[in-house]
Amino acid sequence: GIQVEQSPPDLILQEGANSTLRCNFSDSVNNLQWFHQNPWGQLINLFYIPSGTKQNGRLSATTVATERYSLLYISSSQTTDSGVYFCAGGVRALNFGKGTSLLVTP
Amino acid sequence: GAVVSQHPSRVICKSGTSVKIECRSLDFQATTMFWYRQFPKKSLMLMATSNEGSKATYEQGVEKDKFLINHASLTLSTLTVTSAHPEDSSFYICSATRAALNYGYTFGSGTRLTVV
């Protein structure tokens, strides 16, 4: 199956800082999504972005499908941004990366 | 739109019993649903793809006789963990997608199963 590599695995930021999370895929995907998993386990959809760029408030994402990677940008981070961020992609089912655990400190 | 409801959210059962988890798409028809398993502080592992009206497709290493999947309608898929053992304790999450393109996948809120 498709392998999904996420980096960095862990990230600590001070409030107000910006960050970039990256996701590489071993093969081309038709579907690509970024999620934030809350402490209760719920996956919150951030972006469905198989290609191109999207923005939603302080978050934006870019996928370069031809080079099989995607980036998630978090600007002016807040403590509420803390948690685990997953990217997932695939042709039919989504295959998940191992996640980036983000901690934003006051 | 695109809400997926999963029940129960939490269940504790005794070893040897079976547990059924339901996944419903509330406001759309899902011809395909997916079941995942997540261990603590780990990623989500795809277990199987549930197809309405046909047999589920299981990923390599997933025991189809232990994890029974039924997709009887366009809005409901069920996962039954049969003869549960403590090692089956985990967080199970379902997902569904609309047939239309460019919509993405919606996930249920998950079921935390503890087998004692």
Side-chain angles (χ1 to χ4, degrees):
Chain A
I2 293 172
Q3 305 301 311
V4 182
E5 194 177 300
Q6 275 189 256
S7 60
D10 300 281
L11 187 58
I12 301 175
L13 298 174
Q14 198 154 20
E15 206 167 21
N18 303 327
S19 64
T20 301
L21 281 56
R22 185 180 176 108
C23 197
N24 292 327
F25 294 88
S26 62
D27 206 342
S28 299
V29 297
N30 295 341
N31 301 287
L32 197 159
Q33 225 161 325
W34 283 94
F35 299 92
H36 180 205
Q37 188 168 39
N38 69 20
W40 298 272
Q42 175 75 56
L43 286 168
I44 309 300
N45 177 50
L46 298 177
F47 296 103
Y48 175 73
I49 187 166
S51 64
T53 297
K54 290 185 178 180
Q55 180 157 7
N56 184 3
R58 296 182 296 104
L59 302 181
S60 64
T62 295
T63 296
V64 183
T66 54
E67 297 188 23
R68 305 199 300 266
Y69 75 87
S70 184
L71 302 172
L72 177 69
Y73 305 97
I74 304 174
S75 64
S76 303
S77 58
Q78 300 175 358
T79 55
T80 52
D81 294 331
S82 297
V84 182
Y85 290 80
F86 287 104
C87 70
V91 175
R92 193 167 184 225
L94 291 181
N95 300 280
F96 280 74
K98 293 185 177 180
T100 292
S101 180
L102 172 65
L103 175 63
V104 181
T105 61
Chain B
V3 178
V4 173
S5 173
Q6 188 173 340
H7 291 281
S9 58
R10 186 181 297 266
V11 59
I12 300 173
C13 71
K14 291 185 178 180
S15 286
T17 62
S18 296
V19 173
K20 181 184 285 189
I21 302 169
E22 291 189 348
C23 181
R24 295 181 184 271
S25 56
L26 297 186
D27 51 0
F28 67 100
Q29 293 184 333
T31 54
T32 306
M33 291 185 175
F34 306 90
W35 288 95
Y36 292 82
R37 181 174 182 175
Q38 185 179 29
F39 291 101
K41 300 188 185 300
K42 297 289 186 183
S43 184
L44 280 76
M45 180 190 79
L46 178 67
M47 299 175 65
T49 300
S50 170
N51 306 295
E52 187 268 334
S54 64
K55 291 183 179 180
T57 305
Y58 290 82
E59 295 299 303
Q60 193 171 9
V62 178
E63 297 177 61
K64 57 184 69 176
D65 293 332
K66 165 162 279 293
F67 300 101
L68 298 180
I69 291 172
N70 183 277
H71 195 154
S73 76
L74 286 171
T75 59
L76 174 65
S77 176
T78 59
L79 168 67
T80 301
V81 183
T82 63
S83 188
H85 289 281
E87 57 264 30
D88 298 325
S89 299
S90 192
F91 191 58
Y92 294 88
I93 311 176
C94 70
S95 168
T97 183
R98 294 189 184 189
L101 295 175
N102 300 323
Y103 192 83
Y105 296 70
T106 304
F107 283 74
S109 54
T111 297
R112 193 163 302 282
L113 169 64
T114 303
V115 184
V116 298

